[in-house]
Amino acid sequence: MSLSTSTSTQTTTVSVNVRLVYQADQTGGQTEPPIHAGAMDALLNFAQQTPSPGTSQLLGRFEAIQESLERHVNAQAPADMPSSSIKHPLPLETARAAERRATSQDAGSRSGAGFMSPPIKIRRQNIDIQTLRALKVALTHDPHLDVTEWTQTNHIHTRTIRNYVYKGALTPEAQRRLDVADGKAPSFRPVTVDDLRNLDAALTLDRRLNITKWARVNRVHPRTIGQYIFKGALTPEAQHRLDMADGKAPSVRQATVDDLRNLDAALTLDRRLNVTEWARVNRVHPRTMTQYVSKGALTPEARHRLDVADGKALSFRRVTVDDVRNLDAALTLDRKLNVTEWARAHSLYSNRVRALVRQGKLRPEARERLQNADGQATVAQASAQAPGPRRVESGDLRALRDERASGGPFDRAEWAQRLDLYLPEVNKYVTAEGELTAKGLTLLNAG
């Protein structure tokens, strides 16, 4: 009797070739009776059925045992006698060894089929200079380094580190970062209006310009300069920046209620709409329009703006001291409060309310606002305390641009605290890498 399984598909096929075998009993020399006809029919009916996954695994173990036994019998057979004509008894040790090997293979197949415990999730983090140096040393010793295994050993996210490796070595950006840290090269500088003019001229000559090489030659970050290009030309945002610098009419306009209506209609037709391309076609800023979209539909804030324009709802109002006091009470009851939903329920701008909360409680400036309103802060305390954070001005951004030209690491929160700037507002104008956003460039040029 032979059983065979097919692993190419999920369905396991069983074929049976049954022969009545009379085997002499070694102990008594007697012959066992043949298999009963009814039992044979039941066995055939069982073999013709599609086995369950558990049965398939047992059949696989049976085949492994059978193959091991055949190898053992063939090894003991004389060279001039065919193995099929020899009927040796099955040694117990051989059967047990084969079963152990089959069990090991079965366990391995289960681990490979999804029974292995899930890997530990590693949060993506910024790569420091020491890690880059260690990676460079590892790649120097082994250009064929298994980056995935290396990252798991060093508890670093694989996708993060792959951005620093290309063809068995560090990427030029990663190497340049090391050179900047070692004082061998200046850091990438912010993209200026002159860079955009030169880039526009280069794209006019060659729409298939190699942006990465162009950026490296001009000492600007390739990823930053790539944000200014769309389909072989400057993006409307980049053109808008040039127009503002040249005193021309802006090429990108503010989003209106009609734009929101048109965007809502477009999302109704296609929830996978490319909002960035849609915004560029309609000459509105892509970053502004993407803030109005979440999961293929308008955000509640955008929907509320439409409702206000149609007279269906009241507009969002400014945050008052009573709102701050109610928010403080709500956070006392639930530190995991959904601040966004709370703000929307109270007709407040969610981003302004979120700016008052940090780690499940009011920020110090919000707490101070309550204390001043309740008369708990004395005049002496008020005079001793430093003035509150101020708004970002064009001079701050200009100073930041000059500061970043000399290179070095950048900490946005530390920079905001050093200049006594309001951090949520700083985030609108400055990226985490120290680059100016589109709003930051507009403020800088306006000053």
Side-chain angles (χ1 to χ4, degrees):
M1 174 178 179
S2 63
L3 304 177
S4 61
T5 60
S6 175
T7 59
S8 59
T9 60
Q10 295 180 352
T11 304
T12 305
T13 304
V14 183
S15 61
V16 179
N17 182 12
V18 181
R19 293 180 301 173
L20 298 179
V21 178
Y22 296 86
Q23 184 177 1
D25 188 353
Q26 295 179 354
T27 58
Q30 299 177 356
T31 303
E32 294 181 356
I35 300 177
H36 192 273
M40 179 62 66
D41 294 338
L43 179 61
L44 289 174
N45 292 333
F46 168 78
Q48 292 174 357
Q49 296 179 359
T50 302
S52 63
T55 306
S56 300
Q57 294 179 359
L58 293 176
L59 293 176
R61 295 178 57 184
F62 176 81
E63 282 190 340
I65 297 173
Q66 186 181 30
E67 291 175 359
S68 177
L69 295 177
E70 290 177 355
R71 288 194 299 268
H72 177 79
V73 172
N74 292 336
Q76 295 181 351
D80 57 348
M81 184 178 296
S83 59
S84 59
S85 62
I86 300 177
K87 295 182 175 56
H88 289 285
L90 305 181
L92 182 59
E93 293 79 9
T94 304
R96 288 180 177 176
E99 184 175 2
R100 284 195 298 269
R101 286 194 295 270
T103 304
S104 176
Q105 294 175 359
D106 185 33
S109 64
R110 287 200 304 269
S111 63
F115 289 90
M116 185 180 297
S117 59
I120 299 176
K121 293 184 178 180
I122 303 174
R123 293 184 59 185
R124 299 185 65 176
Q125 69 272 39
N126 294 327
I127 305 302
D128 53 23
I129 297 298
Q130 290 76 10
T131 304
L132 271 184
R133 288 197 177 100
L135 177 60
K136 182 179 180 180
V137 172
L139 291 171
T140 302
H141 286 85
D142 182 12
H144 301 287
L145 176 71
D146 188 337
V147 178
T148 301
E149 182 178 352
W150 189 88
T151 54
Q152 293 175 352
T153 302
N154 292 272
H155 305 289
I156 302 173
H157 201 286
T158 304
R159 189 174 301 174
T160 301
I161 207 67
R162 285 189 183 278
N163 295 329
Y164 294 91
V165 180
Y166 180 68
K167 292 185 177 180
L170 293 182
T171 60
E173 289 78 17
Q175 184 59 51
R176 186 180 185 86
R177 185 178 170 189
L178 284 180
D179 295 340
V180 169
D182 297 337
K184 299 179 181 179
S187 63
F188 287 119
R189 54 183 180 79
V191 177
T192 64
V193 175
D194 291 335
D195 292 324
L196 290 181
R197 288 195 181 97
N198 296 334
L199 178 61
D200 188 24
L203 290 171
T204 303
L205 296 176
D206 182 11
R207 295 194 61 175
R208 297 183 179 180
L209 177 70
N210 190 318
I211 305 302
T212 301
K213 291 184 179 179
W214 188 93
R216 291 168 180 168
V217 170
N218 290 273
R219 292 182 45 243
V220 291
H221 202 289
R223 189 176 300 174
T224 303
I225 207 68
Q227 297 175 353
Y228 292 100
I229 301 173
F230 179 68
K231 292 184 178 181
L234 291 183
T235 61
E237 303 88 75
Q239 191 61 51
H240 172 75
R241 184 178 172 185
L242 285 180
D243 294 341
M244 294 292 292
D246 296 338
K248 300 179 181 179
S251 57
V252 178
R253 55 184 177 78
Q254 294 290 332
T256 63
V257 175
D258 290 335
D259 292 322
L260 283 182
R261 288 195 178 96
N262 296 334
L263 178 60
D264 187 27
L267 290 171
T268 303
L269 296 176
D270 182 10
R271 289 177 59 91
R272 298 182 179 180
L273 177 71
N274 190 321
V275 181
T276 300
E277 292 187 7
W278 185 94
R280 288 168 177 167
V281 170
N282 291 272
R283 296 181 56 250
V284 290
H285 204 293
R287 187 171 299 176
T288 302
M289 300 310 296
T290 53
Q291 293 176 353
Y292 289 116
V293 180
S294 175
K295 297 180 179 180
L298 293 183
T299 61
E301 288 79 9
R303 181 67 60 189
H304 183 270
R305 183 177 174 184
L306 287 179
D307 293 341
V308 170
D310 297 336
K312 299 179 181 179
L314 298 176
S315 61
F316 285 128
R317 53 186 178 80
R318 298 177 64 87
V319 179
T320 64
V321 175
D322 290 336
D323 294 323
V324 179
R325 188 176 291 107
N326 295 334
L327 176 62
D328 186 27
L331 290 172
T332 303
L333 296 176
D334 182 10
R335 292 194 60 177
K336 296 182 179 180
L337 176 71
N338 190 321
V339 179
T340 300
E341 293 185 1
W342 187 92
R344 290 168 181 167
H346 291 78
S347 299
L348 300 172
Y349 283 106
S350 57
N351 56 345
R352 296 179 182 177
V353 177
R354 285 196 301 267
L356 302 175
V357 180
R358 182 178 183 182
Q359 296 181 351
K361 60 183 179 179
L362 291 182
R363 287 178 175 268
E365 51 269 24
R367 179 70 61 188
E368 182 181 357
R369 181 179 177 183
L370 279 182
Q371 292 175 351
N372 291 334
D374 296 338
Q376 297 178 359
T378 62
V379 177
Q381 290 175 337
S383 59
Q385 293 176 349
R390 59 183 179 85
R391 300 180 65 87
V392 179
E393 301 175 356
S394 59
D396 301 321
L397 301 182
R398 191 174 295 106
L400 175 63
R401 183 183 61 182
D402 298 338
E403 178 183 337
R404 294 296 299 152
S406 59
F410 177 74
D411 189 330
R412 182 169 55 183
E414 187 275 334
W415 180 79
Q417 184 179 8
R418 175 158 48 89
L419 297 182
D420 197 20
L421 298 174
Y422 193 43
L423 182 58
E425 190 177 44
V426 170
N427 296 339
K428 297 179 182 179
Y429 297 114
V430 182
T431 66
E433 293 79 16
E435 299 287 344
L436 298 183
T437 63
K439 287 186 177 181
L441 295 174
T442 302
L443 178 60
L444 178 65
N445 295 328

